[in-house]
Amino acid sequence: MIYGVFSDVHGNYEALKSALAFFKKNKAASFICCGDLVGYGPQPAECVKAVMGLENLAIVLGNHDAAATGRMDMKWFNGNAIAAILYARCNLSGAELAWLTGLPETVKTPEFTLVHGSPRKPLTEYVLSESQFLENLPYWDISPCFIGHSHMPVYFRQTDDAPPETDFLRPMSRMLLGGLRYVLNPGSVGQPRDGNPRASLGLYDSQKKSFEIFRVDYNVTKTQELMKKTGLPQVLVDRLAYGL
Ligand SMILES: [Fe+2]
Ligand SMILES: [Fe+2]
């Protein structure tokens, strides 16, 4: 089975459309979404609608999704994020809000584990270090474990006879997962933060046990124009051009 793996769309429908076109071209007929469909971007409803319509979808709740639906306190967010979360809340239909509210925090299947932040704190922890990876090992079992939240395409790997290993996932470098335990982050579709503004996403082949990262172009300017029209904070508009 080939899964299209994506995360942190954040209301950026232009980026999502490019990501879904890439998945279609590469024959990914199943999907893994690591959360944060809304927040930051100008088209939360379009993004929720498009993802709701995907067949064979595994998806978890992100912290911005949780805040937009009232499942999470706004104290976790800065002022710019709150402005965008409130914008999303006002723009989602009742059916879209109900669907988001019902998303689980953790998904376990025979082929992978899925959370937004980390297995032990699905809505709040950013996994960015080997020590956090080690501390989280008791909280999940089926490898790989897909995560999002940091907007960084990174992997963590447990080796048998050495300290755990982590690195950035570079585009087109195929990772063979073998029998070890992996945490994999596909990066962000709608607001990359690794200095590369192109949408980041992954393909997971559960038969071959391989994972590969790709970057795809999208119309950044169009998203920025829509954000300006809606009055979303300028700093959120500017960062998209730099991937920050
Ligand atoms: Fe996010
Ligand atoms: Fe998040």
Side-chain angles (χ1 to χ4, degrees):
M1 180 102 68
I2 298 176
Y3 293 90
V5 188
F6 64 106
S7 189
D8 295 276
V9 172
H10 283 296
N12 189 340
Y13 187 51
E14 290 302 312
L16 178 61
K17 281 191 291 186
S18 288
L20 295 180
F22 174 88
F23 289 145
K24 192 171 181 185
K25 196 170 139 202
N26 286 276
K27 303 192 175 7
S30 298
F31 304 93
I32 297 170
C33 176
C34 315
D36 272 359
L37 275 181
V38 306
Y40 296 134
Q43 294 181 287
E46 287 83 348
C47 292
V48 171
K49 214 175 294 168
V51 173
M52 277 170 84
L54 293 176
E55 288 179 12
N56 307 316
L57 170 70
I59 181 169
V60 285
L61 184 79
N63 56 317
H64 289 252
D65 308 320
T69 60
R71 269 179 72 171
M72 191 170 180
D73 201 298
M74 291 287 192
K75 73 178 182 190
W76 292 94
F77 300 89
N78 64 40
N80 291 325
I82 290 171
I85 287 165
L86 294 175
Y87 169 80
R89 187 183 289 174
C90 293
N91 280 272
L92 293 168
S93 69
E96 289 153 1
L97 277 170
W99 180 79
L100 264 189
T101 306
L103 295 181
E105 292 184 12
T106 304
V107 170
K108 291 180 184 183
T109 81
E111 297 195 318
F112 59 88
T113 305
L114 172 61
V115 292
H116 178 61
S118 77
R120 66 175 169 181
K121 293 180 185 171
L123 289 184
T124 54
E125 184 175 24
Y126 294 85
V127 180
L128 292 166
S129 69
E130 289 96 339
S131 59
Q132 286 175 292
F133 167 68
L134 278 180
E135 288 160 17
N136 268 285
L137 284 175
Y139 296 87
W140 59 285
D141 43 16
I142 306 294
S143 183
C145 176
F146 292 103
I147 65 169
H149 197 38
S150 71
H151 300 207
M152 295 286 182
V154 291
Y155 75 84
F156 298 87
R157 169 165 65 189
Q158 185 191 35
T159 53
D160 289 335
D161 54 357
E165 189 181 300
T166 183
D167 203 351
F168 278 96
L169 282 158
R170 290 172 185 84
M172 314 294 279
S173 58
R174 180 168 296 177
M175 174 165 273
L176 296 172
L177 304 180
L180 304 175
R181 295 183 74 184
Y182 282 82
V183 164
L184 301 169
N185 190 329
S188 169
V189 166
Q191 194 200 69
R193 294 179 187 165
D194 59 345
N196 180 347
R198 303 170 87 200
S200 185
L201 45 82
L203 289 177
Y204 168 48
D205 186 324
S206 61
Q207 253 84 55
K208 291 182 184 160
K209 283 277 173 194
S210 70
F211 183 70
E212 203 167 351
I213 282 285
F214 298 87
R215 304 301 284 248
V216 296
D217 286 317
Y218 75 94
N219 194 336
V220 177
T221 310
K222 188 169 175 190
T223 296
Q224 289 179 308
E225 291 301 324
L226 285 169
M227 291 174 81
K228 282 183 205 163
K229 265 189 212 160
T230 58
L232 285 161
Q234 188 62 36
V235 66
L236 299 181
V237 178
D238 293 341
R239 67 188 298 177
L240 289 183
Y242 303 104
L244 298 174

